[in-house]
């Protein structure tokens, strides 16, 4: 009986994880973009990126991208050009959502 109960509990837990991942798409990309203040630009940073994410930083709205020299890469960032719009940031985040297979993404702002 105990084994059966454990199997049911494990099955329920796995189902909950699967439903949660399906609902979020396994998303590692934040949905929120911080408000931009005058003189600031957006920066998208990725810690421990995995997958084919680098194509996402090859975007006309990205002024500069940096990747750490260590292998595997421990970090990458894209600084957007002055005048980039929130839709530009969301386009890059959408690309990351499709191509990033590991790592965590954060969107911040900094002075231009």
């Amino acid at each position: 009986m105990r084994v059966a109960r454990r199997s049911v509990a494990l099955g329920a837990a796995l189902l909950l994880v699967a439903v949660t991942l399906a609902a979020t798409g396994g998303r590692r990309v934040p949905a929120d973009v911080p408000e931009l203040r005058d003189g600031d630009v957006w920066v998208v940073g990725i810690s421990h990126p995995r997958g084919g994410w680098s194509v996402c930083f090859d975007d006309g709205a990205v002024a500069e991208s940096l990747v750490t020299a260590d292998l595997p890469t421990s970090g990458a960032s894209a600084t957007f050009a002055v005048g980039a719009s929130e839709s530009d940031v969301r386009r890059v985040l959408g690309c990351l959502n499709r191509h990033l297979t590991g790592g965590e993404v954060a969107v911040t702002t900094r002075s231009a």
Side-chain angles (χ1 to χ4, degrees):
M1 277 295 202
R2 289 184 185 175
V3 173
R5 286 183 190 163
R6 287 183 188 163
S7 295
V8 170
L10 179 60
L14 289 174
L15 179 62
L16 179 61
V17 169
V19 168
T20 301
L21 286 175
T24 63
R27 181 169 294 166
R28 298 179 191 324
V29 179
D32 296 333
V33 174
E35 189 173 318
L36 198 62
R37 296 182 184 163
D38 287 340
D40 286 354
V41 293
W42 282 290
V43 179
V44 172
I46 312 171
S47 64
H48 305 286
R50 302 292 178 264
W53 59 271
S54 62
V55 299
C56 302
F57 286 2
D58 188 22
D59 186 282
V62 173
E64 177 182 56
S65 61
L66 301 170
V67 178
T68 58
D70 55 345
L71 291 175
T73 301
S74 62
S77 67
T79 302
F80 285 77
V82 173
S85 67
E86 184 176 333
S87 64
D88 293 326
V89 176
R90 291 196 181 281
R91 181 179 59 248
V92 170
L93 291 176
C95 181
L96 289 172
N97 200 39
R98 290 187 303 276
H99 295 286
L100 190 70
T101 59
E104 296 295 323
V105 177
V107 182
T108 59
T109 63
R110 70 168 180 84
S111 298

